[in-house]
Amino acid sequence: MSDINSWIDSEVKSADVVLFMKGTPNFPQCGFSGQVVQILDYIGVDYKGINVLDNDDLRQGIKDYANWPTIPQLYVKGEFVGGCDIIREMFQATELQDHMKTNGITIRQEASA
Amino acid sequence: MAMNANDIESMIKAGIPDADITIRDLAGDGDHYAAEIVAESFRGKTRVQQHQMVYQALQGNMGGALHALALQTSAPE
């Protein structure tokens, strides 16, 4: 396994919820990454944001790792869940919240405003 | 670089012959599209697998020439 691949593999498993994104949770630098950050913040889940813009090998490596050509990418318990479209679809169908719960991840979904 | 809607549609159709494809141009810049794709060959597959089939049909253009393609995939009702 290449260096970047084994680094990614360890990062993916370093927290229950890991989001590979452009920018950081506080400063997303892409609309799609920003959408997933908003969804995760709304359902109130703790997650680790990893900025792929920090390192080109990572930016390409993560696409190879998941056989998924775009960023952002969300991982729960080390398993690739989806990119922006899928996370939004799952959220709207409350499947994302269920997926978190079945994986033993607490969500603090605020009451809808 | 950019792609036009017909190129996207014909590539997806070539890769997923039974696909029923609707493409919307979101920004008019050849870079931001949305596609709704219904195909019997999606049945029984997860959303991730369905989207990966579409990306495969796009032969590496996704994330390169094509910056954004919002995908909605499903099997026929």
Side-chain angles (χ1 to χ4, degrees):
Chain A
M1 206 188 254
S2 72
D3 296 348
I4 193 69
N5 222 35
S6 42
W7 185 81
I8 290 170
D9 202 51
S10 66
E11 284 300 308
V12 157
K13 294 163 181 143
S14 65
D16 283 347
V17 183
V18 178
L19 177 64
F20 289 85
M21 62 178 291
K22 289 178 181 172
T24 62
N26 292 328
F27 296 102
Q29 288 173 266
C30 151
F32 301 112
S33 292
Q35 273 183 49
V36 175
V37 162
Q38 271 177 350
I39 287 170
L40 294 177
D41 289 346
Y42 181 82
I43 66 174
V45 111
D46 293 326
Y47 62 96
K48 179 176 185 176
I50 295 176
N51 185 359
V52 302
L53 299 179
D54 285 346
N55 167 341
D56 281 344
D57 291 342
L58 169 58
R59 185 170 182 174
Q60 183 52 46
I62 192 64
K63 295 175 184 177
D64 302 333
Y65 181 83
N67 180 28
W68 191 262
T70 56
I71 304 291
Q73 293 183 19
L74 185 68
Y75 292 77
V76 172
K77 294 276 180 149
E79 189 206 331
F80 177 58
V81 178
C84 183
D85 297 337
I86 287 175
I87 296 307
R88 192 179 51 242
E89 234 176 287
M90 287 178 72
F91 168 67
Q92 286 160 352
T94 66
E95 283 173 29
L96 184 64
Q97 296 86 322
D98 298 340
H99 188 74
M100 296 292 184
K101 285 181 209 159
T102 29
N103 277 282
I105 293 160
T106 47
I107 63 174
R108 301 177 301 275
Q109 180 153 355
E110 290 117 23
S112 47
Chain B
M1 287 212 339
M3 287 183 74
N4 69 51
N6 296 332
D7 293 345
I8 297 168
E9 188 162 342
S10 45
M11 284 182 96
I12 295 174
K13 196 70 174 168
I16 310 172
D18 66 333
D20 181 27
I21 304 159
T22 312
I23 295 194
R24 282 181 297 117
D25 185 339
L26 297 177
D29 60 0
D31 238 355
H32 295 76
Y33 291 95
E36 267 173 60
I37 306 166
V38 180
E40 184 54 40
S41 44
F42 286 155
R43 194 174 300 285
K45 293 196 168 56
T46 66
R47 282 193 190 94
V48 168
Q49 289 165 333
Q50 292 173 13
H51 288 211
Q52 282 172 326
M53 286 171 68
V54 177
Y55 293 147
Q56 207 148 11
L58 290 169
Q59 294 159 25
N61 281 298
M62 188 61 230
L66 187 52
H67 175 64
L69 176 65
L71 279 181
Q72 197 143 22
T73 56
S74 58
E77 294 299 320

